[in-house]
Amino acid sequence: MASVVFYFQVHQPYRLRRYGVFDSEPYYFDEARNEEICRKVATKCYLPTNRLMLDLIDRYKGDFRVTYCVTGTIIEQMRAYIPEAMDSFIALANSGCTEFIAETYHHSLAFLYNREEFIEQTRIHQDMTEEVFGQRPRVFRNTELTYNNDVAKTVEQMGFEAILTEGADHVLGYRSPNFIYRPPNCPDLKMLLKNYRLSDDIAFRFGNRQWPEWPMTAEKFTNWVDQINGNGYVCNLFMDYETFGEHQWADTGIFDFMRALPEKILATGKNDFLTVSEAIQRYPCVGEVDIPHMISWADTERDLSAWLGNSMQANALHDVYALADAVLSSGDEQLIADWRKLQTSDHFYYMCTKWFADGDVHKYFNPYESPYDAYINYMNILDSVRNRAARPPT
Amino acid sequence: MRVFMLGWEFPPHISGGLGTACYGLTKGLDELGVGVCFVLPQAVPPEATSHVSLRTPAHVPADAMDEASAESIAVGHIFENVDLRPVAAVLQPYATPATYKESIKRLIAQKRRSSEEGGKPEQVEALEGALQEPIPRGPLATGAGLHYDGDLMAQVYRYARLALEIARAESFDVIHAHDWMTYPAGLAVAAATHKPLVVHVHSTEFDRSGDNVNTQVYEIERTGMHGADRVVCVSYLTRSIVTSRYGVPADRIEVVYNAVELPAADALPMKPIRHDEKIVLFLGRITMQKGPEYFLMAAKKVIAKYSKVRFIVAGSGDMIAPCVELTASLKLGSHVTFTGFLRGGDVDRVFRMADLYVMPSVSEPFGIAPLEALSHNVPVIISRQSGVSEVLTHVLKVDFWDTDEMANKILAVLRHPPLQKTLRDAGQIELKKLSWRDSAAQLKHLYADLTVQA
């Protein structure tokens, strides 16, 4: 038996407005643009994909199961701009075939800079998920699957039962991502590792006509999944939800592929679908994976360099967390909320200079003309936050 | 392959990017085994130019009108460094008016025939012009002809006349003329020799003068571009001007970017001992085209937020007086320093002192200076209205008129050392992608194309 474990990441940041050094008003977010982007993503991805998932859940009567992680920042924006998208996620939660897992509410890198803040943001996200989707998350994934042994230990102590991360070659070596593992010294925590080959076949390569496997069909993909039988328990397909309709446009056939996949997978009679919690309950741990250094699911490096790869990123991250005490002790709810929105990892991703000149995926998702503009804008806003934190509100 | 190259300036006697570009391109061509005979309208010292055979009209001796003797003299000098005579000796009048007139008549008659056989009419016309232009006395102007006063036009045609004399004693495969002052010469030499002509547009009259163009200059540019077999532009920005304003078909234009010579590793300057002021540098001609007033207006806004800063305006030009007045009226006197025109070592020195270089050009066909700043490890802000912004990504870009944004970016660089560091680090890597040799290789390819066709 090989179980397909789909986990979809649903996230949008609060994009910042253009904020010059001469600006001082405490309004940092580009509401018009955020609404426009959320509407676009909802129309192209969330609404049609949720409808498809609900159809599949309906059709296969409990045999099609998926896992979601929905950040606080996208929940807030859906509530404000597109309640119908929010409703469709709630319908998925009510289907009984979905699991919702936890991360930092603000999709932040708080773990690297402020452990208390990390725990607090995770707790807020758990509370929100329980309130909105009616289930308290028992599985954790850190922003962009950033992970090391310390993250594991911390979330084990918080009571989580499992954690997700990248099945990077350089940490797995000869071992396969298709088993359940355990972090060192964490008897109560299991880990699920992303099968990045099969995940990226869907998330990145699906519509690429230069890919030798193009066009990928549900039959072909089922075949690859089926090969895990005898060599593993799970096929962990972790990806951004925006894969459907946004990264892979509808005309690539991504929706048709997804619609056809469950039938093919289930028809083998040897494979099924599970949520992450179901997978760790069904299958035993086969060993320990030791990951002392930070890894992530980003780029070919699978490290932190997309968010912490140059001096600007290091400086911006350092400075935003340096304000923690001043902001948190101000008692100013609005200021705390703004400060937390500024921790969203996307802001630092926009400052990435790797490959910038070549114009690739980093550029495609970047609202700024250059990483330098992203940094300058961010630092100007941070000045304003710093000033507000220094002066109690009148 | 040998190129008959017509230029107006060459280091160290330069007033802008043209001389630097001519130096870099000829050096690159030399490395690729392409011979260059470079014709320059004034005597220049021979140092640092060993890769080019420099020909100045100083090499046209009094009896040059005698074709046979001109040839023998020229051949004797081709592969040697330039042995220059004093400039004053250049302008000997042609010895025997009779032989001169004879040769004019012969050539014109010949050209009319070839024109009827399909030669380019612009070339024949330029040749007639060059031959019939009365030759004025007095020394040729030095450096680029940036002011159209005096007898610049006469000098342009005299340069053509003298270049033609040198050409008759040289052997070459292709003619390459840099900027409008040398276009008439290029056309005339092309007509006289049947060799393909490349004109190289380093700037256009619209860049230099906005919409108040000098129609005489425009006409020379237009004629040169249409009379040439191929037009080289320094950027796509310039290419678009050449197609839209001069009507040159896009398929006859090639874009060849400029580059910069990297200083030797050990010559990379250490940061000098610092006093407590940061230095923001403007370096270029103080003209409408370069946007110095936007630099000053941004400076005013910067100082409101950050006072330990000095703005250096280095260069000379016709906007110097208005800029000094603007500085006074903005009450910027204690924060702005005008240095006047800087050369060689002083340019190096001022780059070494600078924390930031700003190029606020209103219209900049390319803009080599930002590359020079980067090569001195100085971060740069460039105007989006520049050709160089097509090749640089690891720089800050602004619209020249947006002085709020310019001040915003200047302040960011001054206040945030990590921004300076990232710009420096990434800028160094980016700079390595630009080399004169690559630009020269593009030219070599172009020459090969043209000579095969011919």
Side-chain angles (χ1 to χ4, degrees), chain B residues 82-413:
Chain B
V82 184
D83 174 25
L84 290 170
R85 301 180 192 181
V87 176
V90 174
L91 297 160
Q92 295 291 331
Y94 290 96
T96 52
T99 35
Y100 177 52
K101 275 189 182 150
E102 269 310 298
S103 65
I104 291 171
K105 276 184 194 157
R106 253 200 335 267
L107 266 167
I108 289 176
Q110 205 182 324
K111 283 301 119 192
R112 289 234 166 86
R113 280 199 302 278
S114 80
S115 173
E116 283 154 18
E117 291 156 14
K120 282 194 180 260
E122 292 93 343
Q123 296 185 354
V124 177
E125 216 171 283
L127 179 68
E128 287 179 20
L131 292 175
Q132 285 171 338
E133 188 69 29
I135 309 293
R137 290 171 183 257
L140 275 167
T142 60
L146 297 161
H147 305 284
Y148 304 146
D149 52 354
D151 60 351
L152 180 65
M153 287 302 165
Q155 290 181 32
V156 164
Y157 287 105
R158 184 169 50 170
Y159 173 79
R161 178 76 189 85
L162 295 170
L164 196 57
E165 289 313 316
I166 293 170
R168 290 159 83 183
E170 293 282 344
S171 70
F172 49 86
D173 308 292
V174 59
I175 307 148
H176 189 149
H178 293 280
D179 262 7
W180 71 271
M181 293 85 83
T182 72
Y183 292 173
L187 290 167
V189 174
T193 61
H194 293 282
K195 301 293 183 189
L197 171 66
V198 177
V199 304
H200 199 132
V201 186
H202 295 267
S203 77
T204 69
E205 183 58 11
F206 295 96
D207 298 306
R208 291 181 299 264
S209 307
D211 280 332
N212 305 314
V213 298
N214 178 314
T215 52
Q216 213 178 345
V217 173
Y218 172 78
E219 214 31 68
I220 291 175
E221 288 182 325
R222 194 173 188 289
T223 309
M225 292 172 194
H226 284 270
D229 297 278
R230 204 67 70 87
V231 178
V232 172
C233 291
V234 291
S235 64
Y236 284 91
L237 180 70
T238 300
R239 182 179 183 262
S240 74
I241 294 173
V242 168
T243 52
S244 65
R245 303 272 197 150
Y246 295 85
V248 178
D251 61 3
R252 273 209 292 128
I253 306 175
E254 181 147 353
V255 171
V256 177
Y257 287 124
N258 287 325
V260 68
E261 275 208 318
L262 291 178
D266 58 341
L268 258 184
M270 300 298 290
K271 281 278 152 192
I273 299 164
R274 219 16 106 59
H275 38 89
D276 61 352
E277 258 181 353
K278 303 262 187 180
I279 290 181
V280 182
L281 175 66
F282 171 101
L283 187 146
R285 282 179 286 113
I286 316 292
T287 60
M288 182 282 295
Q289 182 192 350
K290 303 290 180 181
E293 68 273 35
Y294 299 101
F295 180 75
L296 293 170
M297 288 188 280
K300 175 72 181 171
K301 292 172 180 172
V302 168
I303 284 160
K305 283 250 173 193
Y306 192 103
S307 60
K308 292 191 170 177
V309 57
R310 175 155 303 277
F311 292 85
I312 295 186
V313 181
S316 59
D318 54 13
M319 289 267 291
I320 268 278
C323 282
V324 172
E325 278 168 29
L326 179 63
T327 303
S329 70
L330 292 172
K331 298 188 171 62
L332 283 176
S334 58
H335 287 282
V336 177
T337 305
F338 289 86
T339 68
F341 186 77
L342 300 180
R343 283 176 200 281
D346 288 336
V347 174
D348 276 345
R349 220 161 293 139
V350 79
F351 271 134
R352 259 179 257 177
M353 289 165 65
D355 294 280
L356 174 64
Y357 172 80
V358 182
M359 184 184 78
S361 297
V362 172
S363 176
E364 189 67 68
F366 187 81
I368 292 180
L371 301 184
E372 291 175 333
L374 284 175
S375 78
H376 285 85
N377 220 4
V378 178
V380 303
I381 297 177
I382 58 176
S383 130
R384 284 201 186 86
Q385 290 68 35
S386 69
V388 73
S389 89
E390 295 168 22
V391 297
L392 291 179
T393 50
H394 291 284
V395 295
L396 302 179
K397 298 179 185 182
V398 294
D399 293 313
F400 70 86
W401 62 84
D402 190 350
T403 52
D404 271 347
E405 183 59 12
M406 202 182 293
N408 183 38
K409 285 184 165 150
I410 291 171
L411 278 165
V413 173

Side-chain angles (χ1 to χ4, degrees), chain A residues 122-373:
Chain A
T122 303
R123 191 192 56 73
I124 301 174
H125 187 259
Q126 273 185 299
D127 292 349
M128 177 211 66
T129 304
E130 186 171 11
E131 178 220 314
V132 174
F133 299 120
Q135 44 178 287
R136 189 155 187 90
R138 294 178 298 161
V139 174
F140 180 80
R141 60 81 72 180
N142 204 13
T143 303
E144 311 292 348
L145 298 191
T146 50
Y147 176 92
N148 69 2
N149 294 338
D150 288 344
V151 178
K153 192 71 209 165
T154 306
V155 304
E156 184 196 41
Q157 286 166 348
M158 292 169 73
F160 286 102
E161 296 166 8
I163 186 164
L164 313 187
T165 190
E166 174 70 25
D169 287 334
H170 69 275
V171 299
L172 276 176
Y174 65 91
R175 289 182 291 185
S176 153
N178 304 326
F179 291 97
I180 313 287
Y181 294 93
R182 174 179 289 123
N185 308 312
C186 289
D188 299 323
L189 193 73
K190 292 179 171 179
M191 62 197 291
L192 286 171
L193 301 162
K194 175 182 152 194
N195 182 323
Y196 74 81
R197 287 191 183 83
L198 290 175
S199 298
D200 294 352
D201 283 343
I202 299 174
F204 298 133
R205 289 180 282 272
F206 184 83
N208 179 1
R209 288 165 182 255
Q210 266 74 57
W211 182 35
E213 299 294 346
W214 187 90
M216 185 168 71
T217 59
E219 289 83 356
K220 198 186 280 184
F221 195 79
T222 299
N223 226 345
W224 295 340
V225 171
D226 202 34
Q227 286 167 14
I228 292 172
N229 270 301
N231 298 311
Y233 308 140
V234 287
C235 177
N236 293 327
L237 301 177
F238 301 171
M239 63 197 73
D240 284 334
Y241 204 37
E242 290 83 1
T243 296
F244 300 95
E246 176 78 3
H247 303 174
Q248 304 292 338
W249 292 357
D251 62 12
T252 61
I254 189 78
F255 289 105
D256 302 325
F257 167 80
M258 196 61 213
R259 187 171 292 112
L261 188 66
E263 187 186 336
K264 300 289 174 198
I265 294 277
L266 295 168
T268 60
K270 294 177 287 183
N271 306 307
D272 63 356
F273 292 92
L274 294 179
T275 67
V276 290
S277 289
E278 291 160 354
I280 58 163
Q281 272 147 27
R282 185 189 294 177
Y283 299 110
C285 276
V286 300
E288 184 180 285
V289 177
D290 183 16
I291 306 180
H293 302 295
M294 272 289 172
I295 63 167
S296 81
W297 73 358
D299 302 340
T300 49
E301 294 90 341
R302 303 286 202 260
D303 63 9
L304 291 180
S305 57
W307 306 275
L308 192 49
N310 66 39
S311 314
M312 298 188 297
Q313 294 170 306
N315 177 237
L317 274 161
H318 172 275
D319 282 14
V320 72
Y321 286 104
L323 294 174
D325 287 346
V327 169
L328 291 171
S329 64
S330 72
D332 180 343
E333 290 301 322
Q334 188 56 49
L335 177 62
I336 294 170
D338 287 345
W339 174 66
R340 287 197 163 132
K341 285 175 189 167
L342 290 170
Q343 294 178 40
T344 300
S345 66
D346 303 63
H347 301 309
F348 311 101
Y349 190 80
Y350 301 147
M351 300 174 197
C352 177
T353 44
K354 279 196 305 183
W355 321 122
F356 162 60
D358 307 328
D360 67 343
V361 60
H362 289 259
K363 208 167 182 174
Y364 178 78
F365 296 109
N366 199 330
Y368 297 95
E369 187 184 352
S370 84
Y372 306 103
D373 291 304

